[in-house]
Amino acid sequence: MSEGYILNALQTPALLRPVYESVQDGNVTQTEIEDDTGLDDNAVKQATDGLRYVRLLGTEEGEYYIVDPPWAIDDPELAFRMSILHSLAGECTPGNWGTQAVVLLNYQYLLEHDMQYFESNDEVLYDAINMWHRDEKSYVPTSSQGEIDLNENKFVNWARIVNYLGLVHKARGREHTVYPDPEIIATSISIAVDENGNDGRIGISEYLRWLRENLLPVELTSGGEIPAPLARVLYNLVRDGRLRIVEYGDAETISLARTPKCDGIATEANTLEVVAE
């Protein structure tokens, strides 16, 4: 794990999509991208480095080329963010971590430790995550100078990235709440149903497995529940009439952490069912 580190390279994630789309439109050199986007040299370099680290941009004979998104999604912004998450999920193979696994591992720490709120300058938190990387996950990113540790600057950059991706939401200042964008979850359920489900349904366990492999490292809590940030999103999708959580077959019941009873969520629920529009 000695390639460049995204938390050092990317301070302004909003630069990623304009540069990606510029290359997509045929602007394949640094100069062409600068002329097309109006961005300066430093901004284009930050974006091209960031896009390379999330595997959406490559180079060949001095020219850039894009990597196509994994799914056909009508909303271009959503498609782009989910493409980044998909690429980052590919970094998260236990025992064979990619350098950029830091983005989703940090998020997994918040989910596993039931942290639904954080401040991006919380030294106690980023030190704890840094130790968890090493002690629990055996993830140790390195550079030519040696091991890379989280610090305030890196953690602030991480918060900007996951806010851009829709995994956390800025409240004020450096305060953030933790829950994934409902559109990411709703779209991911539809894709998972298409790929692995049947008759508009997919078992909750199968969906979580698909989610870990393709987008987000979500594990059940020690009590066998869906973690509260994701549970709240699923609950709201049911309440909004876009999803039902039903009992189907004989799979084990999985409940939503800290959510009230709701019409559309079965007591012995084990399956997600997409509501046809």
Side-chain angles (χ1 to χ4, degrees), residues 201-217:
R201 304 184 192 94
I202 188 169
I204 295 174
S205 294
E206 287 76 17
Y207 169 67
L208 293 178
R209 186 179 306 116
W210 184 95
L211 197 63
R212 288 190 293 271
E213 292 173 355
N214 289 281
L215 287 176
L216 297 174

Side-chain angles (χ1 to χ4, degrees), residues 3-44:
E3 70 172 347
Y5 188 61
I6 194 168
L7 302 192
N8 287 337
L10 185 60
Q11 295 84 42
T12 311
L15 296 172
L16 294 176
R17 188 176 161 209
V19 170
Y20 178 88
E21 291 179 342
S22 180
V23 178
Q24 190 175 43
D25 289 341
N27 302 289
V28 297
T29 68
Q30 184 91 3
T31 300
E32 288 173 347
I33 296 169
E34 290 173 19
D35 291 343
D36 180 55
T37 61
L39 298 172
D40 64 27
D41 179 74
N42 289 334
V44 171

Side-chain angles (χ1 to χ4, degrees), residues 226-236 245 255-259:
I226 295 174
L230 176 57
R232 183 166 66 250
V233 173
L234 294 173
Y235 174 88
N236 287 338
I245 306 180
S255 59
L256 309 183
R258 294 205 299 279
T259 55

Side-chain angles (χ1 to χ4, degrees), residues 18 66 84 158 220:
I66 64 163
I84 294 175
W158 172 78
L220 295 178

Side-chain angles (χ1 to χ4, degrees), residues 94 108 111-112 132 137 208-209 211-212 216-222 224-228 230 254:
Q108 184 178 9
L111 294 180
E112 290 191 3
W132 180 79
K137 297 297 182 181
L208 293 178
R209 186 179 306 116
L211 197 63
R212 288 190 293 271
L216 297 174
V218 179
E219 302 281 355
L220 295 178
T221 69
S222 58
E225 296 179 312
I226 295 174
L230 176 57
I254 297 176

